[in-house]
Amino acid sequence: MASTIKLDVVTPERVVYSEDVDMVIARSLDGDLGILANHAPVIAALKIGILRIKKDNRFSHLAVSGGGFMEVSPEKITILADSAEKPGEIDLERAKAAKDRAEKRLSTPREDIDQTRAEAALRRAVTRLETIDRERS
Ligand code: ATP
């Protein structure tokens, strides 16, 4: 039986990642899901968060933002999301600015500010910053 599984991470704009990997740990709405080759079929909605990928005995990370879901078959994992980035693709200053903006919006509640939208923007920004940190550590 195969010991690797194909992982495709796709957004409306591009294929972000497409490789054979050893394991994927994804943040689903029901908790973290670890997926190895030959996993039973699953469909899961994903949280905004870091996707952990094990390949050749090391972990790498992707920031996965918004509307994500994952389809698993024994040979393949497909993740679809509004956006996803590798650490090297993340603009640190842009993510910091997005975090500051969202925090300001959340700390001064006003009727014309959509709190849910600001919370999601904050989660995206924090996920991007953490993805850069993970890769450095
Ligand atoms: P911002 O407020 O900075 O636009 P956002 O969280 O609202 O951030 P998204 O709607 O999640 O941005 O993403 C829009 C597009 O911009 C996507 O293609 C995403 O990959 C890209 N993107 C967003 N933030 C960054 C970043 N910090 N570095 C690189 N690409 C980013």
Side-chain angles (χ1 to χ4, degrees):
M1 269 202 289
S3 63
T4 60
I5 184 164
K6 180 76 185 294
L7 170 65
D8 281 350
V9 180
V10 180
T11 73
E13 289 166 4
R14 64 194 179 111
V15 176
V16 177
Y17 190 99
S18 181
E19 287 186 37
D20 291 320
V21 303
D22 299 321
M23 178 170 65
V24 170
I25 303 173
R27 306 204 60 208
S28 86
L29 295 185
D30 299 324
D32 284 0
L33 277 180
I35 311 287
L36 298 162
N38 308 303
H39 195 282
V42 172
I43 289 186
L46 301 183
K47 288 182 185 168
I48 295 169
I50 296 176
L51 184 76
R52 284 179 278 168
I53 302 164
K54 190 174 179 208
K55 181 179 165 79
D56 300 334
N57 267 326
R58 66 175 292 269
F59 274 98
S60 57
H61 305 88
L62 293 184
V64 176
S65 304
F69 79 88
M70 175 170 72
E71 182 187 17
V72 179
S73 71
E75 310 82 30
K76 190 169 178 187
I77 303 169
T78 306
I79 291 180
L80 300 174
D82 290 337
S83 65
E85 301 98 27
K86 293 177 182 167
E89 296 167 343
I90 296 171
D91 178 335
L92 178 66
E93 293 309 318
R94 178 174 167 181
K96 280 185 187 167
K99 178 170 177 279
D100 287 350
R101 204 163 51 237
E103 281 174 343
K104 281 202 187 85
R105 288 186 171 138
L106 291 168
S107 67
T108 50
R110 289 187 350 213
E111 265 185 25
D112 60 340
I113 288 181
D114 182 337
Q115 296 287 305
T116 310
R117 190 173 153 192
E119 278 162 15
L122 180 59
R123 282 204 303 278
R124 291 196 297 275
V126 168
T127 294
R128 288 179 174 123
L129 294 172
E130 285 179 359
T131 302
I132 294 175
D133 278 351
R134 286 281 181 100
E135 205 74 359
R136 283 178 179 163
S137 60

